[in-house]
Amino acid sequence: MLVAGLVLLATVAIGEFAGWPFLAGPLQQYLSQRLDRRVTISPGPGFAVRFVGHLRLRAAQLDLAAPDWSAAPHLLQAQNLEVDLRWIDLWRAGRGQRLRIHRLQAETLDVHLERQADGRTSWSLGRRPDADAPPAELPLVGSLLPGRALIHVRDQTQAL
């Protein structure tokens, strides 16, 4: 029992130190299914994910697809991205509260936000449980540190 516990502890310590490089593909698949959008995370150099303390993701490139109805090339595209999410914020978001991103840093950030006249929003991620549910609010970002950012907003309800 003690040996198994020490082996588990050593495995976690090595994984955290190395940044769990083999998780890029599974994380990409999980997020694509959970968010109901294609998510592409560049594996290899620059990729790291950490779980101890809070969830931290570092990737050379991350792409989050726009919804099928959108003409935008993507919802989000980031290069040299670092994202920190607190576990309590993820737990709350999983229970329907607004997602809070503790820190988002990127060398370049390109975001396309759209709201259709019927209320659909490009940032509503995942399958909506019922058609009468209100659209998701934009995530709150505690610290946004882009080197260079382009944010495109198209809101048919506000004629923007």
Side-chain angles (χ1 to χ4, degrees), residues 63-78:
D63 294 317
L64 179 56
D68 293 338
W69 51 262
S70 173
H74 51 262
L75 173 61
L76 179 138
Q77 188 174 66

Side-chain angles (χ1 to χ4, degrees), residues 84-137:
D84 292 340
L85 299 154
R86 297 182 315 171
W87 290 113
I88 189 69
D89 295 328
L90 288 172
W91 183 78
R92 289 175 180 152
R95 280 151 183 71
Q97 292 185 26
R98 191 174 190 179
L99 175 63
R100 184 183 191 310
I101 299 169
H102 185 66
R103 183 177 71 89
L104 190 150
Q105 181 174 343
E107 186 176 303
T108 62
L109 192 60
D110 185 17
V111 181
H112 292 260
L113 303 173
E114 296 178 86
R115 184 186 339 247
Q116 297 291 307
D118 63 6
R120 291 180 295 172
T121 59
S122 62
W123 59 86
S124 293
L125 302 172
R127 292 178 179 87
R128 287 173 55 184
D130 77 54
D132 295 328
E137 296 178 278

Side-chain angles (χ1 to χ4, degrees), residues 25-38:
L27 182 60
Q28 179 175 282
Q29 281 184 308
Y30 172 78
L31 289 173
S32 292
Q33 290 172 352
R34 181 86 167 110
L35 301 178
D36 198 28
R37 301 274 175 88
R38 181 183 41 80

